[in-house]
């Protein structure tokens, strides 16, 4: 698998993601500068976490005007795998590659903590090595992660199985308290932590799998997401 | 070409929870402003714009809002366009 990690001005998880893809997953990995317009050598493109353009105006609003985003639209249309983590998820929503938006957490705080995620759809290219209902332990670090979509869109996402990960308790159950639900750390609608597009080849998630891909970091649960992508690329060849 | 002063107000959509507005409302109540309610916190974007007419200026600002300044999923917007005096008159 040939993987690319996009570097926007203000990306700060680009090197962590590069490290995991190249050293842990074993993919041939390169950085992609935000001004690049040719992604044809890549199988997987990752938009890493960070604060592209200082989160000015709205998180991801300026980054989505980068030249690389136009190329990314073509790349995704051709079926290439795209993964947006945290700020990358925000950029994908702003760019229209994923539906909905990410608003300020209901607690108004920047939340940096470990969370539990329930795998809702294990049939995507990013989750094929996981099983439905499996609980992953992966950290979050964001202030704008409350997933929002209009009611009809939300229903559509649920019906199409586009909700891939949901915030949950360690036992996999949902925290259904309306207010101050610690297991839905940002107040996301339907506890949504990650979604895919209708075709299933574009994933956006607020938690950081690259921060949970090695034993030394106390969880390897995130690695399965990258390994699934690796397997999907291998199978497509 | 004429110059226009533009003010764009962007606020959280009325049907969405605005946690910032809620926090400010609670703070106002703590200060004794018991009658304060429905607090929303948004942003104000100002710019000057060159356009051939006021109608065209309106159209351009509408496009700016749709393409960049507001996110329709989470935000509402409104704006005002006011003519600015011609540069010569301003320097006058």
């Amino acid at each position: 698998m040939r993987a690319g990690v996009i570097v926007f001005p203000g990306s700060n998880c680009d090197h962590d993601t590069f490290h995991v893809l190249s050293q842990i997953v074993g993919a041939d990995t390169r950085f992609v500068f935000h001004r690049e317009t040719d992604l044809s050598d890549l199988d997987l493109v990752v938009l890493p976490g960070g604060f592209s353009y200082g989160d000015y105006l709205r998180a991801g609003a300026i980054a989505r005007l980068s030249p690389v985003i136009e190329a990314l639209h073509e790349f995704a249309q051709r079926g290439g795998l795209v993964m947006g983590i945290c700020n990358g998820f925000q950029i994908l929503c702003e760019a229209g590659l994923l539906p909905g938006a990410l608003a300020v957490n209901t607690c108004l705080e920047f939340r940096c903590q470990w969370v539990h995620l329930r795998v809702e759809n294990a049939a995507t290219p990013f989750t094929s090595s996981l099983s439905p209902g499996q609980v992953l332990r992966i950290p979050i670090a964001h202030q704008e992660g409350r997933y929002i979509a209009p009611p009809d869109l939300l229903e559509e996402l649920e019906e199409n199985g586009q909700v891939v990960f949901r915030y949950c308790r360690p036992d996999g159950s949902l925290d259904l308290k309306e207010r101050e639900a610690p297991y839905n750390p940002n107040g996301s609608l339907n506890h949504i932590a990650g979604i895919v597009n209708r075709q299933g080849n574009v994933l956006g998630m607020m938690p950081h799998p690259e921060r949970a891909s090695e034993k030394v970091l106390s969880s390897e649960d995130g690695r399965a997401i990258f390994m699934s992508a690796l397997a999907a690329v291998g199978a497509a060849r | 070409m004429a110059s226009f002063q533009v003010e764009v107000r962007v606020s959280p959509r009325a049907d969405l929870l605005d946690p910032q507005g809620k926090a400010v409302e609670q703070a106002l109540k703590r200060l004794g402003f018991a009658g304060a309610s429905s607090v929303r916190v948004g942003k104000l974007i100002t710019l000057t714009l060159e356009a051939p007419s006021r109608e065209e200026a309106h159209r351009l600002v509408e496009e700016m809002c749709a393409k960049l300044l507001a996110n329709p999923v989470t935000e509402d917007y409104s704006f005002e366009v006011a003519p600015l005096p011609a540069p010569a008159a301003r320097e006058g």
Side-chain angles (χ1 to χ4, degrees):
Chain A
M1 175 169 76
R2 186 128 167 87
V5 179
I6 303 184
V7 182
F8 296 97
S11 294
N12 66 11
C13 301
D14 42 350
H15 284 265
D16 300 30
T17 308
F18 184 96
H19 163 77
V20 168
L21 283 167
S22 60
Q23 303 300 312
I24 311 297
V25 176
D28 181 7
T29 309
R30 73 172 177 96
F31 285 115
V32 177
F33 196 50
H34 67 112
R35 289 196 203 281
E36 287 186 39
T37 53
D38 186 2
L39 302 171
S40 57
D41 60 317
L42 302 171
D43 303 301
L44 167 72
V45 175
V46 182
L47 291 79
F51 297 86
S52 57
Y53 293 91
D55 276 356
Y56 294 160
L57 195 63
R58 295 180 306 277
I62 314 269
R64 69 115 176 150
L65 300 170
S66 303
V68 75
I69 297 296
E70 208 174 307
L72 195 64
H73 274 279
E74 283 166 37
F75 178 81
Q77 222 149 34
R78 283 202 315 269
L81 297 185
V82 178
M83 186 175 170
I85 302 166
C86 197
N87 189 223
F89 186 10
Q90 295 162 338
I91 296 168
L92 289 175
C93 286
E94 283 285 344
L97 277 156
L98 286 174
L102 295 142
V104 177
N105 299 347
T106 43
C107 61
L108 290 174
E109 290 167 350
F110 184 96
R111 282 285 166 95
C112 183
Q113 66 188 63
W114 287 90
V115 297
H116 291 87
L117 302 177
R118 190 170 79 190
V119 178
E120 299 293 311
N121 182 349
T124 78
F126 307 96
T127 51
S128 56
S129 63
L130 297 164
S131 40
Q134 190 176 340
V135 176
L136 310 177
R137 195 171 148 270
I138 292 180
I140 54 163
H142 62 251
Q143 186 156 9
E144 277 138 359
R146 176 168 52 119
Y147 184 77
I148 284 180
D152 49 334
L153 174 62
L154 208 56
E155 206 171 303
E156 201 184 305
L157 291 176
E158 296 285 358
E159 268 173 23
N160 298 337
Q162 288 176 250
V163 177
V164 179
F165 301 114
R166 257 187 255 275
Y167 299 108
C168 67
R169 292 197 180 89
D171 66 1
S173 65
L174 300 180
D175 190 347
L176 296 171
K177 281 202 298 288
E178 281 250 334
R179 283 167 55 91
E180 287 167 39
Y183 296 102
N184 182 4
N186 48 33
S188 284
L189 293 178
N190 294 14
H191 307 252
I192 290 172
I195 57 167
V196 285
N197 62 343
R198 188 72 203 263
Q199 294 71 34
N201 64 319
V202 179
L203 168 76
M205 62 187 295
M206 288 312 294
H208 286 269
E210 82 281 11
R211 295 187 189 179
S213 291
E214 292 162 87
K215 220 174 222 149
V216 70
L217 297 175
S218 89
S219 169
E220 296 179 286
D221 292 355
R223 192 170 68 190
I225 297 169
F226 298 111
M227 295 310 284
S228 297
L230 182 71
V233 168
R237 276 199 175 145
Chain B
M1 278 286 172
S3 293
F4 298 90
Q5 178 66 37
V6 180
E7 279 194 6
V8 181
R9 271 179 294 277
V10 180
S11 53
R13 269 176 63 140
D15 57 346
L16 286 181
L17 171 72
D18 172 20
Q20 213 179 154
K22 235 174 161 175
V24 172
E25 185 171 319
Q26 280 162 8
L28 286 172
K29 289 202 161 127
R30 269 201 303 279
L31 283 169
F33 297 103
S37 67
S38 309
V39 178
R40 317 285 291 173
V41 177
K43 47 196 155 196
L44 176 69
I45 300 161
T46 62
L47 61 134
T48 56
L49 179 64
E50 299 285 318
S53 67
R54 195 169 181 155
E55 289 67 41
E56 182 60 8
H58 255 268
R59 200 193 61 73
L60 289 169
V61 177
E62 187 68 51
E63 199 181 331
M64 287 178 193
C65 291
K67 283 189 171 167
L68 179 66
L69 300 182
N71 181 335
V73 180
T74 53
E75 296 168 323
D76 286 327
Y77 63 85
S78 63
F79 59 84
E80 274 163 36
V81 175
L84 278 172
R90 253 188 303 173
E91 280 158 22

